[in-house]
Amino acid sequence: MTKTKAILLKITPPQFLTLGFIIIISIGSLLLSLPAASTDGIRTPFIDALFTATSAVCVTGLVVVDTGTHFTIFGQVVILTLMQIGGLGFMTMATMLALAFRKRISLRERLLLQETMNQASLEGIVRFIRRVLVYAFVIEIVGALLLAMRFSLTMPIGRALYLGIFHSISMFTNAGFDVLGTVNGPFSSFVGHVDDPIVNFVIIMLIFLGGIGFIVLAELWDFSKVRKLSLHSKVVLTTSGVLFLAGAVLIFIFEFTNARTLEPLDITGKLYSSLFQSISPRSGGASTLDIGAMRSATQFLIVLLMFIGASPGSAGGGIKVTTFAILVGAVIAMIRGKEDVVFFNRRLAKDRVHKALTISIVALSAIVLFTMLISATENVEILTAMFEVTSAFGTTGLSMGLTPHLTTLGKVLIITMMFIGRLGPLTLAFTLAPGEKELYRYPEGKIMIG
């Protein structure tokens, strides 16, 4: 056994995933900094290339330069590749190549796949990865064709097809990148399609399907045969639906009379915009309204939605909708004097509640710390800083306009937060300090609470 192989065998799955993301981001940064990647033929500053590569691999969508006008087709294809790898997971993509060449998947690779897809068991993991790849490519192809048909009404078919492919992959992987800067102006996202029913519907569905997680997608695919959903899927779909509808209603109410957002639109446009801006914080990152022009109440609502994020097993970030559901369930159980958290007549184990609480506290602590740092380094209001930081943690990509004007230190802070958000706070913690099994327990003590 070689020394290098011995070292690799000692690396834990969380550490391997962290190292893998760092390597891919580094390669992407070097490619995006090449003169061939920028439209002016001048090297992009490495910090900007690093920011863009991190945002693509971590499927965030925050940008310091406009993707459509700053990068050439070569640069955009690099970003597209990074989004696909980051969205599906580099181990998933590596497995696809291994299967294509009929290579055997080792036990260690299966463990890494289990960690990547957030699976509870190794059983059937390779078969599950095959299904993930099929679901992803089918959904992305359908989305690309629908968007291409719409775009072809106003531009050449080749350009329309390219835009359809780029935005379908970007939205399904919840990356939030767009190349519409050449169409609607730099940093415009989908503002030019605010009342377009086809674009709104396709993008909303891509974000939703990409955000509910592959486990739920698999069960929905088989539902017509088995007529049954797991507890996980029921909680994900229920919580996601409630957050989506509640967010849309509140955005509609808050922005109804805002002359810079909803007021100029007809009732159909108002409904489209409210639904779009409600689903996008689920880690989608696209927008059809100027986020910076929204009222503070709406911006704070979006911060809360970004903090919750998408579902486990998806490319989205945040604490995840299941974590949020468990926290709400625990509060309700405590208020009602119940010992257990119960969903759909099923009791949750105590360790699930403890893990949900840990993830939430660690995430909230990171957001508070980085918000204070960004507010100090960029000299901006606390809500503006919190919005950008939470967007980075939730790998969302929505911005109030601060990101393109970040200082070098501010860019480093947001890069760090995007990385934390994509890996997950607990995965990163296990990477830095792998947990050890307790050999003994201390006597029980009591502390007054409340």
Side-chain angles (χ1 to χ4, degrees):
M1 182 183 296
T2 64
K3 187 176 181 181
T4 303
K5 189 172 182 180
I7 293 174
L8 289 175
L9 289 174
K10 292 181 180 180
I11 297 177
T12 64
Q15 290 172 337
F16 191 91
L17 291 178
T18 302
L19 181 62
F21 273 112
I22 291 174
I23 292 173
I24 294 170
I25 289 171
S26 300
I27 295 172
S29 301
L30 292 173
L31 292 175
L32 291 177
S33 65
L34 296 174
S38 62
T39 53
D40 57 11
I42 301 174
R43 281 184 174 275
T44 300
F46 186 75
I47 185 65
D48 291 345
L50 175 62
F51 191 103
T52 304
T54 305
S55 186
V57 174
C58 297
V59 289
T60 303
L62 288 173
V63 292
V64 289
V65 293
D66 181 66
T67 309
T69 56
H70 179 83
F71 290 106
T72 59
I73 294 297
F74 167 74
Q76 293 173 16
V77 170
V78 170
I79 292 172
L80 189 66
T81 304
L82 294 176
M83 288 190 299
Q84 188 75 86
I85 294 173
L88 296 182
F90 69 91
M91 279 304 301
T92 303
M93 301 300 291
T95 302
M96 178 184 72
L97 294 176
L99 293 173
F101 289 101
R102 299 183 181 279
K103 180 181 177 296
R104 183 177 176 276
I105 309 300
S106 68
L107 176 60
R108 180 169 179 77
E109 289 166 343
R110 291 169 193 263
L111 288 170
L112 290 169
L113 288 171
Q114 180 187 9
E115 182 74 23
T116 300
M117 303 309 297
N118 199 22
Q119 290 287 288
S121 171
L122 278 178
E123 184 180 357
I125 188 67
V126 176
R127 183 169 63 252
F128 178 71
I129 293 299
R130 284 197 185 98
R131 299 184 70 182
V132 164
L133 292 169
V134 171
Y135 300 150
F137 292 137
V138 167
I139 292 172
E140 288 174 351
I141 289 170
V142 172
L145 291 176
L146 291 175
L147 289 174
M149 286 190 289
R150 171 61 188 88
F151 292 143
S152 66
L153 299 178
T154 57
M155 61 184 68
I157 184 65
R159 177 66 175 166
L161 184 60
Y162 172 71
L163 291 182
I165 293 172
F166 189 98
H167 293 108
S168 181
I169 293 175
S170 179
M171 295 303 116
F172 178 71
T173 58
N174 284 188
F177 278 82
D178 72 88
V179 288
L180 295 174
T182 55
V183 180
N184 303 320
F187 304 106
S188 58
S189 192
F190 288 88
V191 170
H193 301 276
V194 63
D195 54 359
D196 188 313
I198 297 177
V199 172
N200 275 269
F201 174 76
V202 174
I203 298 299
I204 286 174
M205 288 306 300
L206 286 171
I207 294 174
F208 175 77
L209 293 174
I212 59 176
F214 291 109
I215 299 171
V216 180
L217 275 177
E219 291 192 16
L220 289 176
W221 187 279
D222 296 332
F223 184 74
S224 59
K225 300 177 183 176
V226 298
R227 312 299 296 181
K228 183 181 178 182
L229 291 175
S230 68
L231 176 63
H232 171 79
S233 294
K234 290 178 182 178
V235 172
V236 165
L237 293 173
T238 303
T239 309
S240 298
V242 170
L243 290 172
F244 177 43
L245 294 177
V249 170
L250 289 174
I251 291 172
F252 185 87
I253 294 172
F254 291 159
E255 296 297 315
F256 191 83
T257 57
N258 188 341
R260 299 170 63 191
T261 56
L262 287 188
E263 188 181 42
L265 304 174
D266 59 21
I267 188 64
T268 303
K270 286 182 172 68
L271 290 173
Y272 287 156
S273 299
S274 299
L275 292 170
F276 197 105
Q277 265 59 233
S278 179
I279 194 73
S280 194
R282 290 282 313 283
S283 204
S287 61
T288 56
L289 297 175
D290 182 358
I291 303 297
M294 291 179 171
R295 293 192 168 111
S296 296
T298 311
Q299 292 167 345
F300 188 70
L301 170 65
I302 291 176
V303 167
L304 296 177
L305 293 174
M306 291 191 297
F307 179 71
I308 296 170
S311 307
S314 74
I319 62 171
K320 303 296 191 291
V321 294
T322 47
T323 301
F324 174 72
I326 291 172
L327 291 179
V328 172
V331 170
I332 293 174
M334 180 64 70
I335 292 174
R336 296 177 60 189
K338 303 292 184 181
E339 184 177 348
D340 298 318
V341 177
V342 178
F343 293 134
F344 298 99
N345 298 320
R346 291 291 184 273
R347 171 177 56 84
L348 296 186
K350 296 291 183 184
D351 71 299
R352 298 292 91 187
V353 180
H354 295 161
K355 186 174 181 179
L357 183 60
T358 302
I359 290 173
S360 302
I361 295 298
V362 172
L364 186 60
S365 300
I367 288 174
V368 169
L369 174 61
F370 278 75
T371 295
M372 290 190 292
L373 292 174
I374 288 292
S375 182
T377 61
E378 311 305 309
N379 193 26
V380 294
E381 294 180 356
I382 202 74
L383 179 57
T384 303
M386 183 186 294
F387 195 99
E388 305 294 311
V389 168
T390 309
S391 180
F393 170 76
T395 66
T396 305
L398 295 176
S399 173
M400 289 175 59
L402 173 62
T403 300
H405 307 291
L406 288 170
T407 62
T408 300
L409 181 55
K411 291 173 184 177
V412 171
L413 291 171
I414 295 298
I415 286 171
T416 305
M417 196 48 143
M418 288 191 290
F419 194 73
I420 293 173
R422 179 63 182 97
L423 283 175
L426 285 189
T427 299
L428 195 60
F430 291 149
T431 299
L432 300 175
E436 296 180 359
K437 188 174 181 180
E438 289 184 325
L439 300 178
Y440 56 88
R441 299 176 70 188
Y442 290 100
E444 185 178 280
K446 292 185 178 181
I447 297 178
M448 299 297 293
I449 297 177

